[in-house]
Amino acid sequence: MYLEWNVAVDEENLMLRTFLRGKFVSKLLLTSVKFSEDGKIEVNGNEENVLYRVKAGDHVRITFPREQENERLIAEYGELPIVFEDDFILVLDKPAGMTSIPSQYHPSGSVANHLKGHYLRNNIDSAIHIVTRLDKETSGLMLIAKTRYAHGRLSTLHQTGHVTRKYQALVSGNMETRSGSIVAPIGRNPNSLIERAVVADGKYAKTNYDVLASYPTFDHVKIQLETGRTHQIRVHFAHVGHPLIGDSMYGGPTELVQRHALHSCHLELIHPFTEEKMAWDSELAPDLAAILAQYK
């Protein structure tokens, strides 16, 4: 894979490494190009080192080294609900019940397994970098980077608030306020290897919510995260006494649904290369929509 740019007048006389860093090529990526057999940096068709001073009108091209395939990852060839794909990113609408990555005791059936099969079937020379991982039982939109360049750029954008994720959830009981924020630090539950909890020495976490509709035993809420801690939505709503329905791990009732009622409904980002603003929406998953339909 390669990227290329033309040097603008106001970029003249920059060192090549500075020019490339301005194009969001990280120091780590530059190092990988320098010490690889198939990576190279060219200016006007000639290989140059990073100390070269660029001139206005120069054509700069960087060829990234081939990414190493995870040979232990089992390729699977089921259909993936892909909603967008180009050379840099892939967005899919994950069904509930599918893990993001395989584990020691469950080496197949994950998003990563199916992505490897998709790449092999379509002769796509890309690696799998999951940017917005979802829990197994959470449905909805997931963001995948197809190169280390895209992954690094999206990680930076994510950390600076330029990747927006919104969710819909069904939370037990009725919230006292129609909109608000839950701010509480999240860390590991000292009594569990898996669970998270609100703990004094946890990491800062903030969850914003709006109640879309109220029903006798639950609220339908829309959520926007300002941070991305593990199990954040589930932990925060359990902390304020309204665990997600179906979420037995955090005390939610399971009469209406057997998985935590959480759906990733909106994803918005700045494209890592074109810098175009892009957004996707996903309708509420059928099992959760069916619960709401019972009350209409």
Side-chain angles (χ1 to χ4, degrees):
M1 182 217 167
Y2 65 87
L3 296 175
E4 51 191 355
W5 305 267
N6 290 318
V7 178
V9 172
D10 61 354
E11 295 170 319
E12 187 162 33
N13 208 40
L14 291 175
M15 279 195 295
L16 186 52
R17 67 185 177 195
T18 304
F19 173 83
L20 290 170
R21 291 297 298 274
K23 304 302 181 186
F24 310 107
V25 179
S26 69
K27 184 178 179 180
L28 184 62
L29 267 179
L30 282 177
T31 301
S32 73
V33 172
K34 181 179 179 181
F35 293 102
S36 69
E37 293 182 1
D38 50 350
K40 57 184 176 181
I41 302 171
E42 298 169 283
V43 179
N44 303 324
N46 301 311
E47 286 200 53
E48 296 286 355
N49 68 44
V50 294
L51 300 180
Y52 171 86
R53 296 275 179 180
V54 299
K55 303 176 184 63
D58 276 351
H59 183 76
V60 178
R61 175 168 168 159
I62 181 168
T63 302
F64 297 110
R66 183 183 178 90
E67 298 196 28
Q68 294 296 314
E69 180 183 334
N70 183 350
E71 296 181 356
R72 292 179 297 175
L73 181 63
I74 301 167
E76 296 186 59
Y77 295 91
E79 289 301 316
L80 269 179
I82 295 171
V83 297
F84 177 83
E85 181 177 13
D86 65 10
D87 291 338
F88 300 93
I89 63 173
L90 182 149
V91 178
L92 59 86
D93 200 342
K94 187 183 84 67
M98 177 182 277
T99 58
S100 293
I101 59 174
S103 63
Q104 180 180 355
Y105 299 107
H106 298 92
S108 61
S110 74
V111 168
N113 295 114
H114 285 82
L115 281 172
K116 183 172 182 179
H118 170 70
Y119 289 173
L120 292 175
R121 180 170 53 201
N122 293 282
N123 298 313
I124 298 172
D125 183 18
S126 293
I128 298 165
H129 304 279
I130 296 177
V131 181
T132 58
R133 187 182 299 185
L134 296 180
D135 294 338
K136 178 180 179 180
E137 299 305 331
T138 303
S139 53
L141 298 171
M142 268 184 74
L143 174 61
I144 315 297
K146 297 175 72 175
T147 68
R148 280 180 291 177
Y149 170 82
H151 191 208
R153 176 76 173 119
L154 286 168
S155 294
T156 299
L157 289 167
H158 199 187
Q159 292 166 8
T160 55
H162 291 91
V163 176
T164 301
R165 293 176 293 159
K166 295 181 181 179
Y167 295 79
Q168 291 186 51
L170 307 183
V171 304
S172 58
N174 298 124
M175 303 292 293
E176 292 183 4
T177 57
R178 302 295 293 179
S179 64
S181 299
I182 305 170
V183 182
I186 293 177
R188 291 188 177 275
N189 184 334
N191 300 313
S192 172
L193 294 175
I194 300 173
E195 294 179 31
R196 299 301 195 269
V198 170
V199 291
D201 61 348
K203 293 183 178 180
Y204 174 82
K206 184 176 182 179
T207 302
N208 303 314
Y209 69 88
D210 291 285
V211 177
L212 298 176
S214 292
Y215 299 90
T217 60
F218 66 89
D219 276 351
H220 178 197
V221 299
K222 194 165 188 176
I223 299 159
Q224 182 170 342
L225 295 179
E226 288 199 19
T227 53
R229 310 303 177 203
T230 300
H231 296 183
Q232 177 172 322
I233 292 171
R234 300 166 63 191
V235 170
H236 268 177
F237 280 94
H239 176 66
V240 297
H242 298 280
L244 274 60
I245 68 171
D247 193 356
S248 58
M249 178 179 289
Y250 292 105
T254 57
E255 294 83 7
L256 293 175
V257 66
Q258 299 301 306
R259 59 106 168 179
H260 57 252
L262 183 61
H263 181 77
S264 173
C265 65
H266 180 82
L267 175 65
E268 188 174 316
L269 55 86
I270 303 296
H271 192 279
F273 182 60
T274 67
E275 299 191 12
E276 176 188 0
K277 189 173 182 179
M278 309 181 79
W280 300 270
D281 291 291
S282 169
E283 292 186 2
L284 191 63
D287 59 339
L288 305 185
I291 294 172
L292 299 183
Q294 296 176 21
Y295 295 86
K296 293 181 179 178

